[in-house]
Amino acid sequence: QVQLVESGGGLVQAGDSLRLSCAASGRALPVYAMAWFRQAPGKERDFVATISANGGGTWYADSAKGRFTISRDNGKNTVYLQMNSLKPEDTAVYFCAAGPRALMRAAGFNYWGQGTQVTVSS
């Protein structure tokens, strides 16, 4: 089993940047694809970005493309989401997930963190 803990969220203004971190423990992180999802109040949990187990492939939601970057440091058992040019519509709880493949579907991931709140003011 894998345990995931997100951190790095906070309150920022539009145009600011944040870097979210997801620290993993348990089974070795290099065997898992990782992803970030987000969920705003009253909305579905939406895909943001995913990265393959070896870090060689990344995929992004259209809303994140060009602004967000997913990366991983398997030596530190950590996955990151660098978020630049933040917009109010990015406000959500951001969740880290681990699974067998780099997918865009929440159902494809087996393990989830508790989430970290990102709030972007106008």
Side-chain angles (χ1 to χ4, degrees), residues 12 18 29 32 45 54 62 64 68 73-74 82 95 99-100 106 108 115:
V12 298
L18 280 174
L29 188 61
Y32 292 104
R45 185 169 296 187
N54 65 6
D62 287 342
F68 294 3
D73 185 340
N74 287 341
Q82 178 67 46
F95 296 91

Side-chain angles (χ1 to χ4, degrees), residues 3-10 20-23 35-40 45 81 83 92-98 111-119:
Q3 295 80 45
L4 305 173
V5 179
E6 303 96 332
S7 62
L20 306 183
S21 297
C22 174
W36 289 94
F37 291 79
R38 66 188 183 187
Q39 187 168 21
R45 185 169 296 187
L81 184 68
M83 304 186 295
V93 176
Y94 283 70
F95 296 91
C96 178
Y111 306 104
W112 294 84
Q114 83 289 348
T116 185
Q117 177 70 47
V118 172
T119 302

Side-chain angles (χ1 to χ4, degrees), residues 28-67:
L29 188 61
V31 307
Y32 292 104
M34 303 294 296
W36 289 94
F37 291 79
R38 66 188 183 187
Q39 187 168 21
K43 296 187 180 295
E44 296 282 325
R45 185 169 296 187
D46 291 330
F47 169 76
V48 177
T50 190
I51 186 168
S52 60
N54 65 6
T58 58
W59 295 264
Y60 296 90
D62 287 342
S63 60
K65 200 173 300 180
R67 298 189 299 127

Side-chain angles (χ1 to χ4, degrees), residues 96-108:
C96 178
R101 295 187 63 188
L103 301 173
M104 300 173 67
R105 296 182 295 108

